[in-house]
Amino acid sequence: MKPPVHLYNTLGRKKEVLRTEHRDRVTMYVCGPTVYNYAHIGNARPAVVFDVLARLLRHDYEHVLYARNFTDVDDKINAAAAAAELPIENITNRFIDAYQQDMDALGVVPPDLEPRVTAHIPDIVDVIGALIARGHAYEAGSHVLFDVKSFPGYGRLSGRRLEDMLAGARVEIAPYKRDPLDFVLWKPSSAALPDWDSPWGRGRPGWHIECSAMIGKHFGTTIDIHGGGQDLIFPHHENEIAQGTCAHDGRLYCRTWVHNGFVTVDSEKMSKSLGNILLVRDLLQVAPGEAIRFALLSTHYRRSLDWSDSRLEQAQRTLGRWYSSLSRVERDGFAEGPQHPPDTVVLEALRDDLNVSVAIRRLHQLCHALEQARSARDAQETADSFRASAALLGILQRPPSEALMEWAVADQVARSPGLTSEWVAEILAERDVARAERDFVRADELRQRLEKAGVLIEDRPEGARWRFAKEEWA
């Protein structure tokens, strides 16, 4: 019998056994970015968290269908395009590419589906039509709006009463609404804004209807898991439930709602006014992506995570030690992927609402066991278990020598601005040419130049290898 996965269901406000429509299949949809700027660490946290959940689900289930969308219709996108004097699709394509590059650098496996809103306008129009036909939406002031009072279950996800929702909520007050809480499904567009044909005139969709339509298109009536940041609980996910339920005659919209906590920076909320918005691509200039990922996993996903330099440094130190231990048994083919089953303690921890703290503690124990192994066979067995278990967190999947080299370069660059791995590679290439031409005087000069910069060379039959003399992880 398959061990159960327990997840905290925001809807029930407790940990529950994950229930799926099909025994060996699980569906998961996560709200992705609105693509008008580069991703910051707050955007990266759900991508990393739900990547870990997807890895666990793929271990436990035969079939997993995971989607994370791109919102490429939004007023912020329109403003960014106007400011840059570029077509809107230039903005969205640019930042979709940038987001994918950044997430790849963090070791986030691409979801099975990455739907874009602009590719689903007919599906959105169909859902709005169904809501109107069932008496849950109405036309007013060139808009189509959802009638909140037509859905008695509204407010259950967020735990809010209708009469309390207006205070401090992201609710647009407009004279054409029957009720202030009614929200837009379709709105008109000016000539300068993107628009599409619809039975209600040319316009564009409201934010909330987009995810409901994409879920219906790719998953059907009911989805097993819906995820996203805590800030989406109200009004976005609350509105999704209302739309998805009412468009399908009251059928269940989602079984389990999973939300990750906020990210702060040095105990303060990220904001433009404070100048503390940390972009992933900027962090990648000072630390390996794997270290950034591990730092994002260092606090339980439901708790707020306070980002700091010390958190990132600790992540680098831990991964450095682990890779150094694995280097004892490094062998050809290391990067091909672990074949050993994960450790049961790590699996049980992750099945318990992604208890990464317990999983990391167990990885420390496996590292210690590897360091204490008395035979090559025991060391290899422990290393295989260690690495297979770490794969569930998306770490320790590179050849140790390669990872340690990147760590050393990052450390040396931090201490010696201007020194990069690219510069070292150029000098080595020039030295190879000198040696091929039997200009050994020039080759020695280049070697001495590298050594003065703190780079040690080891000549091997297959080529030169190098490392920094003061490698922190040695």
Side-chain angles (χ1 to χ4, degrees):
M1 185 176 179
K2 183 184 303 181
V5 173
H6 291 79
L7 293 172
Y8 185 90
N9 188 351
T10 305
L11 189 64
R13 289 167 181 74
K14 63 181 180 180
K15 278 198 291 188
E16 300 175 355
V17 173
L18 175 63
R19 303 190 185 282
T20 60
E21 183 174 357
H22 302 284
R23 179 180 178 184
D24 293 320
R25 181 176 186 264
V26 59
T27 54
M28 180 168 70
Y29 179 95
V30 175
C31 287
T34 300
V35 284
Y36 67 97
N37 207 336
Y38 293 111
H40 54 67
I41 55 172
N43 305 131
R45 191 181 191 194
V48 170
V49 165
F50 289 101
D51 179 64
V52 172
L53 179 55
R55 289 167 184 265
L56 173 66
L57 295 174
R58 294 190 193 286
H59 178 275
D60 283 1
Y61 287 82
E62 186 175 350
H63 303 289
V64 175
L65 185 59
Y66 172 27
R68 184 188 63 220
N69 78 294
F70 287 114
T71 297
D72 59 348
V73 179
D74 186 85
D75 289 342
K76 292 179 180 178
I77 297 172
N78 300 336
E85 299 182 344
L86 291 172
I88 288 170
E89 58 268 23
N90 286 30
I91 296 294
T92 56
N93 288 337
R94 172 187 176 186
F95 289 115
I96 285 173
D97 289 344
Y99 179 86
Q100 291 172 327
Q101 291 166 9
D102 289 346
M103 295 309 105
D104 180 66
L106 299 186
V108 174
V109 178
D112 302 292
L113 301 169
E114 292 184 289
R116 303 186 186 193
V117 173
T118 54
H120 293 77
I121 300 300
D123 306 303
I124 292 170
V125 169
D126 288 347
V127 175
I128 295 173
L131 289 169
I132 293 174
R134 289 164 172 76
H136 294 289
Y138 59 93
E139 296 182 64
S142 301
H143 292 69
V144 180
L145 298 109
F146 184 87
D147 182 0
V148 166
K149 289 186 176 178
S150 74
F151 179 53
Y154 194 82
R156 184 182 167 200
L157 180 70
S158 59
R160 305 184 185 201
R161 297 182 303 169
L162 290 179
E163 54 268 31
D164 296 333
M165 287 184 185
L166 288 176
R170 294 159 60 184
V171 173
E172 179 188 5
I173 306 299
Y176 47 79
K177 291 185 177 183
R178 294 178 185 172
D179 186 277
L181 285 174
D182 293 350
F183 55 89
V184 172
L185 302 174
W186 190 265
K187 54 188 174 183
S189 292
S190 67
L193 297 176
D195 61 348
W196 292 266
D197 283 326
S198 81
W200 318 287
R202 289 191 66 82
R204 62 193 192 280
W207 174 33
H208 312 297
I209 193 65
E210 298 166 353
C211 289
S212 295
M214 288 186 283
I215 285 174
K217 172 70 172 181
H218 296 287
F219 295 99
T221 303
T222 306
I223 192 169
D224 296 322
I225 302 171
H226 196 318
Q230 184 181 348
D231 57 315
L232 298 180
I233 295 175
F234 185 86
H236 185 51
H237 289 166
E238 193 77 74
N239 292 351
E240 272 196 59
I241 292 175
Q243 298 161 162
T245 304
C246 293
H248 296 99
D249 298 318
R251 280 175 283 182
L252 182 66
Y253 182 61
C254 174
R255 292 181 173 82
T256 302
W257 290 86
V258 181
H259 295 94
N260 64 273
F262 297 110
V263 176
T264 57
V265 177
D266 293 325
S267 302
E268 292 187 299
K269 182 179 179 181
M270 280 192 294
S271 68
K272 289 183 179 179
S273 61
L274 292 175
N276 64 348
I277 296 178
L278 298 179
L279 300 181
V280 172
R281 59 187 38 223
D282 290 340
L283 287 171
L284 288 168
Q285 299 302 308
V286 299
E290 191 172 354
I292 299 169
R293 177 191 181 94
F294 193 44
L296 286 168
L297 291 173
S298 59
T299 294
H300 190 273
Y301 79 90
R302 284 194 284 115
R303 294 171 52 198
S304 293
L305 182 145
D306 188 43
W307 187 270
S308 64
D309 290 343
S310 60
R311 183 183 293 274
L312 182 56
E313 289 165 3
Q314 179 60 51
Q316 292 185 78
R317 284 194 295 271
T318 298
L319 288 173
R321 180 199 165 190
W322 288 353
Y323 267 122
S324 183
S325 297
L326 283 170
S327 68
R328 294 181 57 195
V329 293
E330 184 172 8
R331 63 192 188 282
D332 293 338
F334 191 95
E336 294 176 359
Q339 304 299 318
H340 196 282
D343 179 78
T344 56
V345 175
V346 174
L347 273 173
E348 289 171 4
L350 296 180
R351 288 173 181 145
D352 182 18
D353 196 32
L354 298 185
N355 193 333
V356 173
S357 296
V358 172
I360 291 174
R361 186 160 61 245
R362 179 56 177 165
L363 292 179
H364 277 294
Q365 293 172 348
L366 290 172
C367 180
H368 180 72
L370 173 57
E371 292 168 347
Q372 299 299 312
R374 296 188 176 183
S375 70
R377 181 176 180 179
D378 287 346
Q380 189 65 68
E381 183 74 13
T382 304
D384 289 345
S385 177
F386 185 22
R387 186 166 173 257
S389 304
L392 293 170
L393 299 183
I395 57 175
L396 303 185
Q397 300 308 293
R398 301 166 61 193
S401 59
E402 176 185 305
L404 291 170
M405 184 65 69
E406 182 179 357
W407 257 244
V409 169
D411 179 64
Q412 190 75 5
V413 167
R415 290 185 279 114
S416 304
L419 177 61
T420 66
S421 57
E422 289 79 9
W423 178 81
V424 174
E426 289 176 5
I427 300 300
L428 283 176
E430 187 177 347
R431 179 173 176 265
D432 287 342
V433 171
R435 295 179 72 193
E437 295 175 350
R438 304 186 67 79
D439 186 353
F440 298 115
V441 173
R442 177 59 176 162
D444 287 342
E445 288 175 350
L446 293 169
R447 182 186 188 110
Q448 291 170 11
R449 184 178 175 187
L450 288 168
E451 289 177 347
K452 286 180 180 179
V455 178
L456 296 184
I457 307 299
E458 181 182 359
D459 289 313
R460 294 188 173 189
E462 66 272 17
R465 296 181 66 178
W466 64 274
R467 65 179 178 84
F468 286 116
K470 295 182 179 179
E471 189 172 328
E472 183 178 349
W473 315 119

